[in-house]
């Protein structure tokens, strides 16, 4: 380009030429590319070019500038349920709502629920919590970047309307199984439930999710021995899905 302008060229547009015209981007190729993408949304540009017998660049131009497709990442959606799951969820929610309407706050105060979570040995301070007040002339504070520790263990928590009533930690990075969970209910939680029953003066309503350790035969037998009012938990079904 520099040589051409030094020799007197004054236009930046391409001059007419007698080279072969670009024939890869045609209506049939555009229509076929659209059909292939609709058939397989995960198809790669390289695969598309090979199936259309055109270059990768031409395939990319067809997808981006003629069909106006763009690749988007999938994200977690709360749950995808079948019609039966939806019906069960509605029935469980209706029973809980009816029980609250009948008993009011006494029903909420009688509830005990549980869940499990991984706890890291070390969790660094967040950037938001490390902010402090300084004058504009003060030097900017420095903080080394640190990540969570690799070591972790499973914590099982039980809580009611007043807060956490019991926490149990599993060592050696083990996870919760039916034997552990059933034994935890029959030992550590038995006394806590008994004292809550004495304080509240009514049967304790117990809410847990539908994880396998919670619905195992040994767990259900333990819950019957403790004479807990087991509340129905709506089914959950997680998957990795599109926006």
């Amino acid at each position: 380009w520099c040589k051409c302008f030094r020799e007197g060229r004054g236009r930046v547009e391409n001059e007419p030429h007698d080279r072969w015209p670009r024939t890869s981007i045609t209506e049939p190729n555009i229509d076929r590319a659209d059909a292939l993408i609709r058939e397989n949304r995960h198809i790669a540009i390289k695969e598309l070019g090979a199936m259309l017998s055109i270059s990768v660049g031409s395939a990319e131009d067809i997808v981006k500038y003629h069909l106006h497709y763009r690749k988007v990442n999938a994200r977690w959606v709360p749950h995808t349920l079948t019609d039966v799951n939806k019906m069960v969820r509605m029935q469980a929610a209706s029973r809980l709502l009816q029980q609250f309407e009948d008993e009011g706050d006494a029903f909420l105060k009688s509830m005990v629920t549980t869940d499990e979570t991984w706890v890291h040995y070390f969790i660094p301070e967040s950037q938001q919590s490390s902010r402090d007040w300084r004058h504009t002339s003060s030097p900017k504070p420095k903080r080394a970047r640190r990540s969570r520790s690799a070591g972790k263990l499973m914590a099982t928590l039980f809580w009611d309307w007043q807060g956490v009533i019991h926490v149990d930690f599993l060592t050696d990075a083990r996870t919760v199984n039916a034997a552990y969970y059933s034994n935890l209910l029959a030992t550590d939680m038995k006394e806590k439930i008994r004292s809550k029953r004495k304080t509240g003066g009514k049967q304790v309503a117990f809410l847990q999710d539908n994880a396998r350790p919670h619905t195992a035969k040994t767990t259900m037998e333990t819950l019957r021995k403790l004479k807990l009012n087991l509340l129905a938990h709506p089914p959950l079904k997680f998957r990795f899905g599109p926006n």
Side-chain angles (χ1 to χ4, degrees), residues 61-128:
D61 285 349
I62 288 175
V63 172
K64 288 185 176 180
Y65 305 116
H66 293 268
L67 297 176
H68 304 290
Y69 281 113
R70 64 186 181 91
K71 270 204 171 179
V72 295
N73 293 327
R75 68 179 176 90
W76 281 104
V77 294
H79 45 263
T80 115
L81 302 168
T82 64
D83 291 338
V84 175
N85 293 143
K86 292 177 182 178
M87 181 61 68
V88 173
R89 280 182 66 86
M90 187 186 71
Q91 292 172 350
S94 299
R95 285 197 296 270
L96 292 174
L97 182 60
Q98 185 61 51
Q99 197 164 352
F100 171 71
E101 291 176 351
D102 294 340
E103 303 178 23
D105 290 343
F107 170 61
L108 299 180
K109 292 181 179 180
S110 69
M111 289 180 61
V112 173
T113 187
T114 181
D115 203 1
E116 295 85 19
T117 184
W118 285 108
V119 178
H120 290 260
Y121 294 153
F122 170 76
I123 300 178
E125 184 183 31
S126 67
Q127 187 173 1
Q128 184 71 20

Side-chain angles (χ1 to χ4, degrees), residues 1 38 55 93 96 100 105 116 122 129 133 164-165 168 176 178 181 190 206 210-211 218 225:
W1 280 98
R38 291 178 182 274
S55 67
L96 292 174
F100 171 71
D105 290 343
E116 295 85 19
F122 170 76
S129 61
W133 294 104
V164 176
I165 58 178
D168 189 81
V176 175
Y181 185 68
K190 184 176 181 180
F206 190 63
N210 299 320
T218 54
K225 291 179 181 177

Side-chain angles (χ1 to χ4, degrees), residues 33-62:
D34 192 21
L36 290 171
I37 292 173
R38 291 178 182 274
E39 184 180 344
N40 178 16
R41 296 285 180 174
H42 298 288
I43 192 170
I45 294 291
K46 188 175 181 180
E47 296 177 69
L48 190 64
M51 297 176 76
L52 295 175
S53 300
I54 61 177
S55 67
V56 174
S58 297
E60 189 171 14
D61 285 349
I62 288 175

Side-chain angles (χ1 to χ4, degrees), residues 162 194-202:
Q162 292 179 309
R194 183 179 299 170
S195 62
K196 181 175 177 62
R197 189 175 289 148
K198 289 179 181 178
T199 305
K202 69 188 302 293

Side-chain angles (χ1 to χ4, degrees), residues 217-232:
K217 184 178 179 181
T218 54
T219 301
M220 300 308 292
E221 290 177 355
T222 302
L223 291 173
R224 280 193 292 271
K225 291 179 181 177
L226 293 174
K227 298 179 181 179
L228 294 175
N229 175 24
L230 185 62
L231 302 175

Side-chain angles (χ1 to χ4, degrees), residues 8 14 28 31 40 62 74 82 106 136 139 155 157 183 188 197 206 208 212 217 240:
N14 289 327
D31 293 339
N40 178 16
I62 288 175
T82 64
T136 54
L157 297 93
N183 181 67
D188 296 346
R197 189 175 289 148
F206 190 63
Q208 59 178 6
R212 289 186 180 180
K217 184 178 179 181
F240 196 69

